[in-house]
Amino acid sequence: MSTRCFTMCKPGVLNRRLVGEVISRLERKGLKLVGLKLMTISTELASEHYAEHKGKDFYGDLVSYITSGPVVAMVWQGDDCVTLVRKVVGATKPSEAAPGTIRGDFCSHTNHNVIHASDSDASAEREINLFFKPEELIDWKDEAACWL
């Protein structure tokens, strides 16, 4: 069953010119990009996005980093999308992220993680609704889907 996952390239990815690499890896996995925008996140939106981390030691650093520069917000679609995206992205802790994953190849500090990916279908739905209006998502006909 086709589902969706929210991902976000954080400010460091833009500064390091890695956005194309991230998109390419997710496309090569066979996922379909249905939403994409370059944006600056307000403190209010960052607080909503990271609401489950309020009160934790690292919360302030998360909000500060995500609002420090532009991000690329994306919505991907595919069968078991969240699981597939998380495998391509790799473990949250850089020391546990396998080589070949986005975090394993490009991240060395958890505080400056290079990418966010929804961790469940419920989180994906909540995060997609935070960052995208329904009309900003385009579910286009994938002519190559039969080959994936």
Side-chain angles (χ1 to χ4, degrees):
M1 180 173 92
S2 186
T3 58
R4 289 180 172 171
C5 184
F6 175 77
T7 65
M8 177 178 17
C9 291
K10 296 183 179 183
V13 172
L14 278 85
N15 283 301
R16 293 170 61 193
R17 312 306 196 265
L18 295 172
V19 173
E21 177 70 27
V22 168
I23 290 172
S24 179
R25 287 180 183 214
L26 292 165
E27 284 182 323
R28 285 194 314 251
K29 189 65 178 171
L31 298 168
K32 181 168 75 169
L33 184 62
V34 296
L36 174 74
K37 66 167 87 169
L38 178 67
M39 63 188 295
T40 302
I41 298 179
S42 67
T43 302
E44 294 76 26
L45 179 56
S47 295
E48 279 187 80
H49 179 65
Y50 288 126
E52 72 272 13
H53 298 302
K54 281 186 181 170
K56 295 179 182 173
D57 292 345
F58 57 87
Y59 174 77
D61 289 338
L62 277 176
V63 171
S64 177
Y65 177 47
I66 207 70
T67 58
S68 69
V71 301
V72 176
M74 297 175 281
V75 179
W76 294 89
Q77 185 172 299
D79 293 342
D80 204 13
C81 193
V82 169
T83 301
L84 288 177
V85 167
R86 301 278 305 173
K87 288 193 179 295
V88 173
V89 166
T92 303
K93 291 176 84 173
S95 61
E96 296 172 5
T101 64
I102 293 168
R103 290 178 177 146
D105 290 349
F106 303 115
C107 185
S108 57
H109 300 287
T110 303
N111 290 353
H112 288 113
N113 212 324
V114 295
I115 189 169
H116 167 83
S118 302
D119 61 5
S120 69
D121 289 338
S123 292
E125 184 176 346
R126 182 183 74 80
E127 293 168 348
I128 290 166
N129 290 328
L130 275 176
F131 288 88
F132 288 88
K133 297 174 189 165
E135 62 269 17
E136 294 176 313
L137 301 176
I138 301 170
D139 187 5
W140 49 277
K141 182 171 172 47
D142 186 354
E143 300 292 344
C146 64
W147 301 105
L148 302 174

